[in-house]
Amino acid sequence: MLRERLDEVEDRIRRALNRSGRRRESVLLVAVTKTLPLEVIEEAYSLGLRDFGENYVQEFERKASAVSSLPGARFHCIGHLQSNKARRAAELFDVVETVDSLKLARRLSEAPARRADPLEILLEVKLGGEESKSGAGPGELPALMEAISGLPHLRLTGLMTIPPFAEDAEASRPFFQQLGQLAEGLGLRHLSMGMSGDFEVAIEEGATEIRVGTALFGPRNPV
Ligand SMILES: *Cc1c(COP(=O)(O)O)cnc(C)c1O
C-alpha cells in the first residue's frame, strides 16, 4: 500500500520537476508522520524514505527513542512550537522549520543539542494574513534574520510556509511565488512549501522541500 502510494507521489514529483527542467535531487520529500504509529516510520524508512515531519513534541518524544538511531534518518519539526518546548525540540529534531520569533530562536540556540553540529532552522512565514496562524510576517523577516545570525548553534537555511487551505491547488501558487521572492531577497535558498494537495504547484514555483502526509499514508485519524 505504502509502496504504491510512494510510487505515485514520486511520479507526481518527477512530472512537476520535468515541467521546470529540474532534477530529482533538487527537491526533498519529507514524509509527514504526525499521529501515525512508529511502525509507519519504520516501514517508510525500509522503502528508502529518510526525512520525516512531525508536528508535536510530546507525540514525537514517544517515537523518537526507537527511530532516531535509524542511520541517515532526519526528523523535521513542522508544527507550531511553543518556546517552553524548544529545549526538548532541539534535542529531538534535526531541523526546526517553524521558527517565527526571536524568543523561540533564542531558546533553541540555548538548548544543549544532542549532536555536535548546529541545529538547522527555517523561518515560518505567514502569508495569508490569517489571524490565527503562526508564522512571522514578511516585514519582520530581515530583522529576525539579522538577530538570529548573532545566535550560536543555529544554522538558518530557508523559509517555510503553509498557505491558507483551498480545494484548488492553483490558489496556493501566489503564496509559493511570494515565498520564493522573499527567500531570494534574503539570500536564502531552501524553500519548504507544498503538501499532498498542492506540491506540484510548489515544485513549479521552486520548492526545495515538500511535506507530504495524506498522499503517502492515507487520511489521518484526528488526534
Ligand atoms: C500535516 C502537515 C503536512 C502534510 O499534510 P498533507 O496534506 O497530509 O500532505 C505538511 N505540512 C505541515 C506543516 C503539516 O502540519
Side-chain angles (χ1 to χ4, degrees):
M1 195 67 157
L2 176 55
R3 187 186 293 273
E4 283 77 32
R5 285 198 174 116
L6 176 57
D7 286 347
E8 232 166 82
V9 166
E10 282 292 341
D11 276 348
R12 287 172 59 187
I13 293 174
R14 273 168 210 283
R15 284 197 296 269
L17 285 168
N18 284 344
R19 288 196 287 279
S20 3
R22 292 171 56 192
R23 283 144 49 103
R24 179 61 187 88
E25 305 81 73
S26 68
V27 65
L28 179 70
L29 171 60
V30 172
V32 177
T33 49
K34 63 171 171 232
T35 79
L36 300 173
L38 175 61
E39 292 72 31
V40 172
I41 301 180
E42 291 170 338
E43 187 190 358
Y45 181 88
S46 76
L47 293 174
L49 288 162
R50 290 294 177 268
D51 288 81
F52 301 93
E54 289 275 342
N55 291 58
Y56 313 102
V57 171
Q58 267 172 338
E59 186 204 340
F60 184 54
E61 208 154 37
R62 293 195 293 271
K63 309 180 198 173
S65 58
V67 293
S68 57
S69 58
L70 292 171
R74 281 165 50 84
F75 297 91
H76 302 241
C77 175
I78 61 170
H80 176 63
L81 188 57
Q82 285 160 335
S83 27
N84 63 1
K85 300 229 172 80
R87 167 179 283 261
R88 196 64 188 121
E91 290 166 358
L92 291 170
F93 289 101
D94 300 278
V95 187
V96 175
E97 303 201 4
T98 46
V99 176
D100 61 357
S101 72
L102 183 56
K103 182 179 172 195
L104 177 56
R106 248 193 216 116
R107 292 280 176 88
L108 289 168
S109 157
E110 287 161 358
R114 67 182 156 101
R115 64 183 68 67
D117 44 328
L119 177 72
E120 180 177 349
I121 61 167
L122 279 70
L123 299 180
E124 180 179 357
V125 188
K126 179 165 64 175
L127 294 177
E130 297 155 291
E131 271 309 316
S132 62
K133 243 195 341 209
S134 48
E140 302 171 58
L141 295 176
L144 190 52
M145 212 176 133
E146 170 69 22
I148 287 174
S149 72
L151 299 176
H153 312 306
L154 298 180
R155 187 166 64 95
L156 173 62
T157 60
L159 303 179
M160 177 271 209
T161 200
I162 311 167
F165 177 80
E167 289 292 339
D168 177 15
E170 280 301 323
S172 300
R173 192 181 296 277
F175 298 106
F176 295 154
Q177 285 171 341
Q178 202 188 339
L179 196 74
Q181 284 157 8
L182 286 167
E184 196 176 329
L186 295 164
L188 294 168
R189 306 182 70 155
H190 191 39
L191 285 174
S192 173
M193 56 190 197
M195 321 203 308
S196 291
D198 58 12
F199 69 73
E200 288 103 324
V201 175
I203 289 172
E204 287 168 11
E205 297 303 335
T208 57
E209 174 186 321
I210 56 174
R211 309 175 307 266
V212 180
T214 316
L216 288 172
F217 305 114
R220 286 177 293 271
N221 295 320
V223 250

